[in-house]
Structures are given as structure tokens and as C-alpha cells.
Amino acid sequence: MFLFLLFSCILSLTGFWLFLSLYKFVEKKGEFMNEKALRILEYHKIIEQLENCATSPLGKALCKKLTPVSDLGEICRLQMETSDALARIYAKGSISFSGLYDIGPSLLRLKVGSSLGAGELLQISKQLDVALRVKSYSRRENDDLSKDCLDDMFAEIEPLTPLNNEIKRCIISEEEIADDASPALKSIRRSIRLTNDRIHQQLNSMVNSQNVGSKLQDNLVTMRNGRYCLPVKAEYRSQVEGMIHDQSSTGSTLFIEPMAVVRLNNELSSLAAKEKDEIEKILAALSEMAAQSQEQLANNLSVLSSLDFIFAKAQLSKNYNGSEPVFNENGYIHIKKGRHPLLDKKKVVPIDIIMGKDYKLLIVTGPNTGGKTVSLKTVGLFTLMGQSGLHIPAFDKSELAVFDDVFADIGDEQSIEQSLSTFSSHMTNIVHILNESNYKSLVLLDELCAGTDPTEGAALAIAILKNFLIRQVTTMATTHYSELKVFALSTKGACNACCEFDIATLSPTYRLLIGIPGKSNAFAISSKLGLPEFIINDAKKNIDAADQNFEDLIANLETSRSTIEKEQAEIEAYKKEITELKAQLEVKHDNIAKQKEQILRRANEQASKILQDAKDFADQTIRDMNKMAAGAASNKELEKQRTAVREKLDKVNKHLSSAPKKKSGQLRPQDLKPGDAVKVLSLNVNGIVASAPNAKGDLTVQMGILKSHVNIKDLELIDEEVIKTPMLKKTGAGKIKMSKSAQVSISINLIGKTVDEAMPELDKYLDDAYLAHLPQVTIIHGRGTGALKNAVHQKLRKSGHVKSFRLGEFGEGGYGVTVVDFK
């Protein structure tokens, strides 16, 4: 037994080693990132947030071990995994890996042929539930969708459904095996129930009997040492035959197993032993079945743990509203609207940072609590996160450089135990950074050389920064020294930056401005805090004139920049407003065009119906009159028919002319507007008003292809364009043909119709125009694909009424119309 326990412990330790092997895909490829920089930049807080996004203990363990890497290929792989997982989260939602446990020790026990307990087998079942859930999540609804880098990992997952179903069928919980786990177990448990019933029946009869019931302490059946007993009063121990198994603490009650149930209790104990043996057989069979799939189970454990870790990174990116940065090995950094990930994203002010291309050294100045240190930490933390495969909370296509190491000197490192002052502590750290850094390093320095004599401190800071610049070390430093501002202005490869300060409100805006040195605004802040004005004025006298002029120059630059930014913002606002108004105007224009087209279509349909009814009535009347003439009908009947025709035509004309016409000379300039239909009385021709009347009443009227200037007195307002011209020829058809000629337009518009729709309408129009004796008409078919035009021309060639036809000329509509001459 001792050897078995020792062997189990060894297996458990070996399982722990197997679990540790799961981390190999995030192993560092070399020494990277000193622990001090990770601590100063609060990288561990990002890891804590990442752990909260994982849903399994194994995933959380992988998150906790995550550190940055310096290999560009490895960084790109990690970033791609995060991006692909994020895309799946946005498409399908998050996936939970809850239920994934470390079954490594159990797998090793299976490897050596040991049987697993019910709890271990249930953990395997839960892992297979997770595998099935993740496998289902990975399936794509559309096979045409492009694959991503996670597809191969999902493909490796094996849900092992037969094994999982068998475990669930046999094991209900860690303490209970199902009756149906095997026929033998079911039979044994049935026998146990029957034996229990017989024992209870026997004991209950004894409890309820007068002979035994009066001798019991309580009228109930109890159990001691796995045997059913009765609680007998001590004074009646000799009157109840049986075996004593226990007594109460006071000795007043004895728990006696009556002789009548001893055999049954023995049988029950035997059945319990058989049940235990059968359960061990069932667990052994399940363990053997699991052992056959131990390689798949081990692979599932590794892949599911990795996927939980990857989806935790993606979930963190979603929480940050992050994006994948673009990496380079040239030391170039371009952060677009970056937000420090540990600050409230609703309150933090996004910053833009560019460095490493035209300049390797960025010196940030500005007032205290203005955001200099936050900007410094943002650059460092983004670098750590990006090289760990995490997205950064910044705009898309932000760029980061790959660094072999990051060094930071931020905060107060004063040490009483080591007898180091603030300055000494910082200088000790800076000496270490100077010795360890190179062109592949990122150096972040906060308040460089502060805490000592300003003159010496500034000189020392310039020398240190110059050393970094000569060695091409990408460096970002904050300072209050004016000498460093001048150094950045006069040194190639260095650039100033400042944290913006609102002079009006005397408060920082936390915006980082590249290329502009900042002011500390000590006098303004002190005045706001209540320092007397005479002290501030006296302090200003102690400043060197050159320094004062330099600070004034910076202030003027800041004012000019602020003004230009406001004007640019106003211009952008105007541009946006103009764009919106243009879009609204286009929408309104399109709506008007659609409404106009609908109105014209309905009007044309209604007019066509009216004209068709009139034509049908006229044709029927002509046929009736011809029959009457052939039958020598009386003049009275003929006159009756003519009267009916006149009444029908009057009704049609009245329907077509719903508004009363103004007589010549009654029109006023406000009565006419462009687009109105009018009749030129002197020419007896209809036209369309092309321009509004001037002060004298003169205006332009479009008559067909001609425009003419006429006076308002020579016009009559009509409802729509109808043909009443001198060109109409007189015929012997009488009033019927004159009525038709008065209602046939000189043009027909077929645009928007198919060939099948247009041809019947064109056929009817040609007949009506020919009967109306129109010498020339225009067919408007548009350009389009040319199908409608070709069909029109084919129709005209076959028509017996057409003398000739041609495409329109300039001013007539060009190739979009066809001009037809009748015979």
C-alpha cells in the first residue's frame, strides 16, 4: 500500500512537468526585458487584466507567464493569432473554455495501466465537453470564407464523443455510479434494495409489536457499523436477543442487531462488497477505454489551453477597443491616438507620438501633472504589449519598433537602506542603462538629472542625451530644463515635444504636441494657487532677459499654434457641413426627379386612357353612321349621332382641361414661372416658359427647338401642350378628325419602357399622328444600350405612313431622338 501511494505521488509530480511543457509556445527566444522596466511600466497590471479574460485555470497560467519577445517573426505570429481570434469573437461572440482542467497526472497513470477514479474520469469528460463546444464554434457557415491561422489548431481537436458518452452513461457524479453502468451492477443493486426492504419490514414489525416496542428507547430503526439495529433500553438488554454494536454516551440505550436480521445484514454486507468490486471493474473498463485515446486527450489539453490563452488576448483587445500594430526593425514609432491602457478609456486623452525616423531623441517638456510621464509610459507599455502579441489601444495601422530591451527610469527610486538619495538612485539606474543599452534598445527617462543643482543637472542631462544620440539609441525623456529645449532645437536627430497647457483655464489638456517646446508655467500655476502677485513679479525680475525672451517666444508659438488649430477645426467643420448639405441636396433632387417621373407617368397613362376611350367611341360612331347612310337613315338619326359625338368630345376636353384658362391681357408677371405651358397668340403655337418675365413683361418661350422673346400680353396660359397649329390640313373627315388633331402631341416619350411595352404604344401613336395629318413628329427613345432605338427604327421601316426618318440633330435631342416625316 505504501509503495502504491509513493508511486502515485511520483506520477503526480510527472503530471505537473507535463503541464509545464504546455508553455513552450510562449517561451522566450532569448534574454529580453529587464524585470525593472516591466515593473516600472506596470506591465504586470496588463497581465492581471489578461488573466481575467481567460476562462480556465490552464489558460490563466499561460497568461501569467506571458512576456515580450524580440523576434519579429514570432511577434507577427502572436499578433496574427490575436487578430484572427478577435475577428471570430466579433463574428460569433466569445467562447468559454470553462471545464478545462489539468488531467496530465491522470494521463500518466493511464499510460502505466492504472485505473482512474470517478472524479478523474469526470474531468476527462468535462475536457471533452469543452473540446466539442470549441470544435462546434470553429465551424464556418460559409466554406468560401478565407481561412486563418487558428484553423489548424481547431482541426487538431478531437471531441472523442464515444468515450465521453460512455463516461456520462456510467458515472453520475464523483460519489455515484449509474445503475445501468453494467448488467451485474444493476442486478446487485436490485438485490440490495430487496434485502433492505426485507430488513426494514422485519425490524418495523418488531418495533410495532407490543413485546419489543415497549422495550425500545425510540420507535425507529437505526444503523451502527453498517448494520441495522434497534435502540433498546439498557434494562431490557437480556430480553431482546441479538448482537450489541454500540451504546449511547449515557449508557441508557443499547444498539442491538436482532438475531432475526443478522443473516439479512450479513447478506447485505456481502452485496455491498460485490457492488464495490463491480464499480472497480466499471472504472477499470472506462480507464482502459480512455487509455486508448490518451494521445488525443493530451493533445486536446495542449491545444485547448493555447486557444484559451489566445482568445483571452483577443477579448482583452476587444475590451480596449485595440488594434494590431505594424512592426518594423528600423526603430520607427508612430502611435495614432494612443490611450494608456490602465486609464479610464472614457476620460483619457488620446495622444499621437512619432519618433525614430527623422529623430531618435524626443524631449518632452511642460507643466507638472500635464501628462509627460503618462506619455512616456504609454510608449513603453505599448512596446511591451505589442511584442507580447497583445493589441494596443490605438488607431489602426499604428507602428511600433522591435526592441531587444526596454530601459526605464521613472519615479522616485530613493533607498534609505542603501544610503541613496533620489538623485543618486536615478544616476545609478542611468549608469546601468548607459552600459546595457544599444541601438536596438528603447530608453525612457523621466525628469532626467532632476534633484540636483539645475545648472549642473542640465549640463549632465545634455551630455547623457548626446551619448544616446551618438549611439543611435531611441530615447524619450521628460524635463523642465530650458537648456534641454535649446539643445533639441539646435541638435540634429533631436526633437522637442510638449504637453499642451490651456493658459485661459490654467489647466493641462494632456495632449502631446510634437515639434513644439513647452513651458512649465510655474508663474501662472502659482498665481492660480494664491501666491501674491508682488512675489511673482519679483521672481520674474530674477530671470535672465535671454531666458525670458525664449519663454516669451515659446508662449507666442503656442498661441499661434492654438489659433491655427482652431481655424483648421472651423474649416473642417465647414467642409463637413458643406458635404452634408450637398448630400441632402442630391437626395432631395433625386426625390423630386422620381416624383416628377411618377406624376408624368400617371398623367400619360390617364391621358392615354381618355384618348383611347375617345378613339373607340369615334370609331364606333363612324361605323354606326356608315351603316345609317347605307340604310338611308333619316337626317334626324344622323344628327343624333353627331350630337352624341360632340358631347363625348366636349366631355373629354373638359376632363383634360381642369383649370380655367386666363384670357389674353389678363396675365400678370407673378402668374408665370419657368415650366408653365402657354400659347403664343400671334403665332398660334404652344410653348413652355423658359424664363421669368422681366419688369417690362418680356420673357423667353421655348417652342419646339426654337426659343423666342415675347411679351406677356401675347400669351395665354394653358394646362398642357396640345397641337393647334396652322399646319393641320383640312380634310373631309369633319369634326372627328379635327378633334383628333387637336389632341395628338408632336412627340412621344418611350424612355424607361421595354421594347415589348413601347412598340404597341408607338404603333398607336403613329396611327393617331397620321390620321391627325401631322407632317412631322419626334420619337424620344434615349441612348441607353440602343435596343429601343433599333426597335423603333425597325418599326418605322415597316410602316406604310412614314416617308423618312432620321436621328435628331444638335438642339433637337441628338442620338436620343428620331425625327419622323409622314407621307
Side-chain angles (χ1 to χ4, degrees):
M1 186 66 182
F2 173 77
L3 291 176
F4 176 78
L5 292 175
L6 179 62
F7 185 63
S8 299
C9 292
I10 294 173
L11 289 178
S12 298
L13 291 174
T14 310
F16 179 71
W17 170 84
L18 176 64
F19 168 67
L20 290 179
S21 67
L22 297 175
Y23 298 122
K24 63 182 180 180
F25 75 100
V26 291
E27 288 288 338
K28 294 188 294 184
K29 292 198 171 185
E31 195 64 31
F32 179 80
M33 298 297 169
N34 58 81
E35 291 295 329
K36 187 173 185 178
L38 298 178
R39 174 175 53 81
I40 291 175
L41 295 173
E42 300 178 291
Y43 176 76
H44 64 281
K45 293 185 178 180
I46 301 296
I47 295 301
E48 289 174 2
Q49 294 182 358
L50 179 62
E51 285 185 63
N52 293 333
C53 294
T55 55
S56 72
L58 298 181
K60 291 180 183 292
L62 292 177
C63 293
K64 191 173 184 178
K65 196 177 182 294
L66 178 65
T67 55
V69 296
S70 57
D71 181 74
L72 180 59
E74 181 72 2
I75 293 171
C76 293
R77 182 185 69 82
L78 295 175
Q79 287 287 346
M80 185 180 298
E81 289 177 348
T82 306
S83 297
D84 290 343
L86 181 61
R88 288 177 180 264
I89 288 177
Y90 280 125
K92 294 187 175 182
S94 302
I95 176 67
S96 174
F97 293 83
S98 177
L100 181 64
Y101 299 98
D102 178 21
I103 61 172
S106 301
L107 294 179
L108 284 178
R109 291 182 61 191
L110 290 175
K111 191 172 184 179
V112 297
S114 298
S115 294
L116 302 182
E120 292 175 298
L121 289 168
L122 283 178
Q123 284 192 347
I124 292 177
S125 175
K126 290 178 180 179
Q127 187 219 68
L128 295 177
D129 286 340
V130 175
L132 180 61
R133 183 166 66 245
V134 174
K135 192 79 172 181
S136 300
Y137 177 85
S138 69
R139 293 191 181 96
R140 299 179 182 274
E141 297 179 359
N142 189 348
D143 295 335
D144 296 335
L145 295 176
S146 59
K147 294 186 176 181
D148 57 34
C149 67
L150 301 180
D151 282 327
D152 292 339
M153 297 182 70
F154 283 118
E156 293 182 25
I157 299 173
E158 294 291 342
L160 301 176
T161 303
L163 173 61
N164 190 14
N165 291 340
E166 185 65 14
I167 293 175
K168 289 181 177 180
R169 185 185 71 82
C170 296
I171 303 176
I172 298 176
S173 67
E174 292 187 18
E175 294 80 20
E176 185 179 1
I177 305 297
D179 291 349
D180 294 330
S182 72
L185 181 62
K186 187 173 184 179
S187 175
I188 291 170
R189 286 185 172 175
R190 183 170 59 250
S191 299
I192 289 174
R193 286 192 295 271
L194 292 174
T195 304
N196 273 320
D197 291 342
R198 291 169 61 190
I199 291 173
H200 279 85
Q201 184 179 2
Q202 184 71 29
L203 292 177
N204 285 333
S205 65
M206 294 178 68
V207 169
N208 296 325
S209 68
Q210 294 181 354
N211 185 29
V212 178
S214 60
K215 300 178 178 61
L216 300 180
Q217 192 75 32
D218 294 301
N219 292 333
L220 54 83
V221 177
T222 185
M223 181 172 280
R224 288 294 184 275
N225 300 324
R227 315 281 288 189
Y228 287 103
C229 302
L230 294 176
V232 180
K233 296 176 182 179
E235 56 268 27
Y236 297 116
R237 60 179 298 179
S238 60
Q239 298 182 23
V240 178
E241 294 183 0
M243 300 174 60
I244 300 175
H245 289 279
D246 198 4
Q247 67 179 8
S248 65
S249 59
T250 60
S252 61
T253 304
L254 300 177
F255 296 96
I256 298 176
E257 178 185 3
M259 292 300 296
V261 296
V262 169
R263 185 184 61 80
L264 292 174
N265 272 332
N266 290 338
E267 185 178 343
L268 189 63
S269 298
S270 176
L271 289 172
K274 291 181 180 179
E275 179 188 28
K276 184 179 179 181
D277 292 341
E278 184 62 25
I279 288 175
E280 289 180 356
K281 290 180 182 178
I282 293 170
L283 294 179
L286 291 174
S287 299
E288 183 180 356
M289 187 176 182
Q292 296 174 2
S293 304
Q294 58 180 328
E295 291 185 2
Q296 293 93 328
L297 290 171
N299 188 62
N300 282 351
L301 181 64
S302 175
V303 173
L304 291 173
S305 302
S306 302
L307 285 173
D308 188 20
F309 166 71
I310 292 170
F311 275 87
K313 294 192 298 177
Q315 186 62 47
L316 184 67
S317 175
K318 183 182 178 183
N319 296 344
Y320 284 155
N321 193 20
S323 64
E324 178 183 350
V326 178
F327 278 90
N328 65 83
E329 293 184 312
N330 304 319
Y332 178 55
I333 296 175
H334 185 188
I335 298 174
K336 304 175 182 178
K337 302 299 179 185
R339 307 179 310 276
H340 193 288
L342 299 179
L343 299 179
D344 187 350
K345 63 181 180 181
K346 296 181 180 179
K347 297 180 180 179
V348 64
V349 178
I351 58 174
D352 296 304
I353 299 177
I354 301 176
M355 60 183 298
K357 190 173 185 180
D358 298 327
Y359 47 88
K360 286 284 187 179
L361 172 61
L362 184 64
I363 298 176
V364 184
T365 52
N368 288 325
T369 69
K372 300 191 302 297
T373 304
V374 171
S375 300
L376 206 66
K377 287 187 173 182
T378 299
V379 175
L381 197 52
F382 276 19
T383 299
L384 299 180
M385 291 174 63
Q387 293 187 217
S388 299
L390 301 176
H391 286 178
I392 59 175
F395 277 11
D396 196 26
K397 303 302 180 183
S398 292
E399 294 190 52
L400 294 176
V402 177
F403 295 105
D404 287 344
D405 216 333
V406 173
F407 298 94
D409 183 63
I410 301 172
D412 191 358
E413 296 290 332
Q414 185 174 6
S415 174
I416 298 176
E417 291 83 359
Q418 299 180 15
S419 300
L420 294 176
S421 65
T422 300
F423 175 77
S424 299
S425 177
H426 281 294
M427 190 51 60
T428 301
N429 194 22
I430 290 172
V431 170
H432 171 73
I433 294 173
L434 286 169
N435 293 332
E436 299 295 330
S437 61
N438 55 42
Y439 73 99
K440 293 288 287 181
S441 302
L442 173 64
V443 176
L444 306 171
L445 304 171
D446 188 30
E447 301 293 349
L448 180 61
C449 294
T452 187
D453 178 74
T455 303
E456 293 181 356
L460 195 57
I462 290 174
I464 292 171
L465 293 177
K466 190 178 293 184
N467 178 272
F468 286 132
L469 194 57
I470 291 172
R471 294 191 293 126
Q472 290 294 292
V473 179
T474 304
T475 307
M476 184 175 178
T478 67
T479 185
H480 286 288
Y481 293 144
S482 296
E483 292 85 347
L484 266 65
K485 304 174 189 177
V486 178
F487 169 72
L489 287 171
S490 59
T491 304
K492 184 178 180 181
C495 182
N496 273 305
C498 71
C499 290
E500 187 180 43
F501 188 82
D502 191 343
I503 299 297
T505 61
L506 294 179
S507 60
T509 64
Y510 304 104
R511 292 178 58 205
L512 185 66
L513 307 175
I514 305 294
I516 301 174
K519 289 185 63 177
S520 295
N521 295 290
F523 293 155
I525 295 174
S526 299
S527 177
K528 181 182 179 182
L529 295 176
L531 190 66
E533 193 68 26
F534 70 91
I535 295 179
I536 294 175
N537 292 333
D538 189 35
K540 289 181 179 179
K541 296 177 183 178
N542 297 325
I543 298 179
D544 183 76
D547 293 338
Q548 183 63 44
N549 292 336
F550 180 72
E551 293 295 325
D552 292 341
L553 176 61
I554 293 176
N556 291 335
L557 288 173
E558 177 66 16
T559 303
S560 300
R561 181 202 58 77
S562 179
T563 302
I564 292 172
E565 279 193 355
K566 290 180 180 178
E567 292 177 351
Q568 287 179 341
E570 292 178 357
I571 292 172
E572 290 298 325
Y574 288 144
K575 287 182 178 179
K576 184 178 179 180
E577 184 178 359
I578 290 171
T579 303
E580 291 176 353
L581 290 174
K582 182 180 178 182
Q584 293 175 3
L585 183 61
E586 289 177 352
V587 171
K588 186 176 181 181
H589 182 270
D590 292 341
N591 290 337
I592 291 174
K594 291 178 181 178
Q595 292 175 2
K596 180 180 178 181
E597 183 180 351
Q598 292 174 357
I599 292 171
L600 290 175
R601 185 182 295 110
R602 286 196 296 267
N604 288 333
E605 291 173 355
Q606 187 177 5
S608 297
K609 186 176 183 301
I610 294 172
L611 292 174
Q612 184 63 41
D613 291 343
K615 180 178 181 296
D616 294 342
F617 183 80
D619 292 342
Q620 183 62 39
T621 303
I622 291 172
R623 286 193 292 271
D624 293 343
M625 292 179 68
N626 289 335
K627 289 179 182 179
M628 292 178 183
S634 63
N635 291 333
K636 185 176 180 180
E637 291 178 348
L638 292 174
E639 184 60 29
K640 183 179 180 181
Q641 288 292 333
R642 284 194 290 268
T643 301
V645 171
R646 282 195 297 272
E647 290 177 352
K648 182 67 175 180
L649 292 176
D650 290 342
K651 182 179 180 181
V652 171
N653 288 331
K654 183 178 181 181
H655 190 79
L656 292 175
S657 304
S658 58
K661 302 177 182 178
K662 289 184 175 288
K663 294 182 179 179
S664 177
Q666 294 180 347
L667 290 177
R668 297 170 297 174
Q670 56 267 31
D671 295 332
L672 294 176
K673 61 181 182 298
D676 286 345
V678 294
K679 179 178 181 180
V680 183
L681 298 176
S682 59
L683 300 176
N684 194 25
V685 175
N686 295 341
I688 303 296
V689 175
S691 65
N694 58 19
K696 297 180 180 180
D698 296 328
L699 67 157
T700 303
V701 177
Q702 180 78 41
M703 295 170 288
I705 62 173
L706 300 177
K707 283 187 178 180
S708 177
H709 294 282
V710 297
N711 191 272
I712 196 172
K713 297 179 179 178
D714 193 27
L715 296 178
E716 180 181 275
L717 189 64
I718 61 177
D719 291 320
E720 60 182 89
E721 188 177 2
V722 295
I723 305 302
K724 295 179 182 178
T725 66
M727 294 186 294
L728 299 177
K729 299 178 181 179
K730 295 182 180 180
T731 67
K735 297 179 181 179
I736 295 176
K737 290 187 178 181
M738 288 300 294
S739 176
K740 179 175 288 294
S741 68
Q743 307 205 22
V744 180
S745 173
I746 61 173
S747 64
I748 181 173
N749 187 354
L750 302 178
I751 295 177
K753 295 179 173 60
T754 63
V755 172
D756 292 337
E757 293 172 344
M759 289 303 100
E761 188 173 336
L762 176 61
D763 189 29
K764 178 182 177 304
Y765 173 75
L766 292 175
D767 290 342
D768 292 344
Y770 181 75
L771 291 175
H773 295 282
L774 297 182
Q776 187 181 77
V777 295
T778 302
I779 302 173
I780 305 171
H781 45 66
R783 299 188 181 188
T785 61
L788 186 57
K789 180 191 74 174
N790 295 335
V792 169
H793 287 184
Q794 187 176 0
K795 184 71 175 178
L796 294 175
R797 291 188 187 98
K798 295 180 180 180
S799 176
H801 308 318
V802 177
K803 177 181 180 182
S804 64
F805 62 90
R806 60 178 174 82
L807 291 174
E809 298 177 353
F810 180 77
E812 293 179 325
Y815 294 106
V817 304
T818 297
V819 181
V820 181
D821 292 321
F822 288 105
K823 295 180 180 178

